[in-house]
Amino acid sequence: MRLETLAIHAGGDADAATGALSPPIHLATTFRHGPAAERIAGYEYQREGDPTNDRLRTAICALEGAEKALTFASGMAAISALLESLEPGARILIPRDCYTGLRVLAAEFLPARGIEAVAVDTTDPGAVRASCGAGVAMIWAETPSNPLLEVSDIAALAAIAHEHGALLACDNTFATPVLQRPLALGADIVMHSTTKYFGGHSDVLGGALAFARTDALFARVAHRLHVTGATLAPFSAWLTLRGCRSLPARMAMHCANARRVAEFLAGQPQVEEVHYPGLASHPGHAAATRQMADAGGMLSIELRDGRDAALALAGALRLFTNATSLGGCESLVEHRASVEGDRPVSPPGLLRLSVGLEHVEDLIGDLRQALAAL
Ligand SMILES: *Cc1c(COP(=O)(O)O)cnc(C)c1O
């Protein structure tokens, strides 16, 4: 079956007891078992699994082409469960441009567990290969990356990882399986912040890991989730599953709108740079064309006049709301350097845009009036 069909039907069997088409939400924390703790319907205690999370996991497996998936209370819970399940002494490579939470985890939390994370330019396979020399357990890719929309070649990174006996994990939050399926390109694990496009309505936090194989690492991560308890609540699983149903339709419109917005911004004199992999001028355009079905709904721009112009533009926008996060129906704008704390890494003149599902002429009109006010 094709992805649009899987998105509607995977994990969507009608309820056996009532025939309800919308899946029931089982809020039960505990499930009746036999006198010697024999499981009756496969469930025991919510921290160790529940029917609504299982439906969502089934859907994510189908969409990513995975053998098993785990769902978590947030994207960061998924990332930390995976990375903290590596053996102490492990060395991992992470992208130089990546989600801030991963950078902070790598700097402040992983070293105490004996895990060393080295930042490399994952858009450059040569640089990645050179950094693998001293032994590496995992390469982490985030493509397109946050906030610079850098594109890394997943198949090339998978080949390098496997040559060195390492795993490739890929944060697929920006692309979603609608646009890019890392496991089919050789990655071993896919990670999602389902808070973003999967949920799709800026109202549910969640994370997921999709595994190509049910192996020892999968078992360790599942055990860690069950014991440490960063579980996704059933209602959150239900909202995320509902988001899956419209994910392909929403992504098509996010992509179409973002492409038009990127092309408009590329023609504006106040805009020095547009980072959008769908533009032929983007350094990752060729790789994006190979591995993505379309370029996505995220882009960032750098203003010629730097920080002050970026803040003035963000302040003058009316339809784009100043807010963090991404992937919802509404368009958002964010001055990344301002939210990165004491030591910002984003360029001072950079704004990140999450292009929503409004009419694209209204979005362009808003950008036009805000640019005119600079
Ligand atoms: C938001 C995000 C995360 C973290 O997910 P949370 O659900 O906020 O914990 C990780 N990676 C990327 C690319 C993100 O955008």
Side-chain angles (χ1 to χ4, degrees), residues 74-76 79 99 142 171 173-174 191 193 195-196 206 326:
S74 69
M76 284 310 300
I79 296 176
Y99 183 70
E142 181 183 312
D171 183 335
T173 300
F174 273 31
M191 174 264 155
S193 167
T195 311
K196 314 296 168 53
L326 58 107

Side-chain angles (χ1 to χ4, degrees), residues 178-267:
V178 176
L179 306 182
Q180 172 174 286
R181 306 220 310 160
L183 300 183
L185 296 165
D188 302 284
I189 300 153
V190 167
M191 174 264 155
H192 279 285
S193 167
T194 56
T195 311
K196 314 296 168 53
Y197 287 108
F198 266 92
H201 297 75
S202 308
D203 56 9
V204 58
L205 202 67
L209 296 173
F211 292 78
R213 290 171 303 280
T214 315
D215 56 8
L217 179 62
F218 168 79
R220 276 208 301 283
V221 178
H223 184 57
R224 175 174 291 275
L225 169 60
H226 297 164
V227 174
T228 60
T231 42
L232 184 67
F235 185 52
S236 296
W238 187 87
L239 283 170
T240 309
L241 183 63
R242 185 164 75 163
C244 287
R245 305 312 185 208
S246 57
L247 183 63
R250 285 185 285 109
M251 289 315 292
M253 192 165 170
H254 281 297
C255 291
N257 283 0
R259 182 176 297 276
R260 287 281 314 282
V261 166
E263 285 165 359
F264 167 76
L265 289 168

Side-chain angles (χ1 to χ4, degrees), residues 252-332:
M253 192 165 170
H254 281 297
C255 291
N257 283 0
R259 182 176 297 276
R260 287 281 314 282
V261 166
E263 285 165 359
F264 167 76
L265 289 168
Q268 302 306 306
Q270 301 99 321
V271 178
E272 183 161 28
E273 194 90 57
V274 178
H275 303 289
Y276 184 64
L279 296 179
S281 57
H282 187 280
H285 181 66
T289 307
R290 275 198 306 278
Q291 69 191 14
M292 298 177 76
D294 205 341
M298 295 299 298
L299 58 102
S300 57
I301 58 173
E302 291 184 53
L303 278 293
R304 213 173 281 290
D305 290 336
R307 181 175 193 276
D308 290 347
L311 293 181
L313 181 63
L317 287 164
R318 295 177 192 144
L319 256 183
F320 283 83
T321 303
N322 280 269
T324 198
S325 199
L326 58 107
C329 297
E330 64 290 312
S331 293
L332 304 178

Side-chain angles (χ1 to χ4, degrees), residues 24-81:
I25 309 171
H26 292 288
L27 296 176
T29 54
T30 189
F31 297 82
R32 187 164 60 93
H33 63 52
E38 303 91 341
R39 291 188 178 197
I40 293 169
Y43 300 101
E44 186 174 286
Y45 186 59
Q46 194 188 101
R47 176 153 45 71
E48 297 179 358
D50 68 81
T52 322
N53 267 281
D54 274 356
R55 283 177 181 269
L56 174 60
R57 292 169 178 190
T58 300
I60 291 171
C61 277
L63 294 176
E64 287 290 1
E67 192 172 311
K68 281 279 191 190
L70 294 170
T71 41
F72 295 84
S74 69
M76 284 310 300
I79 296 176
S80 39

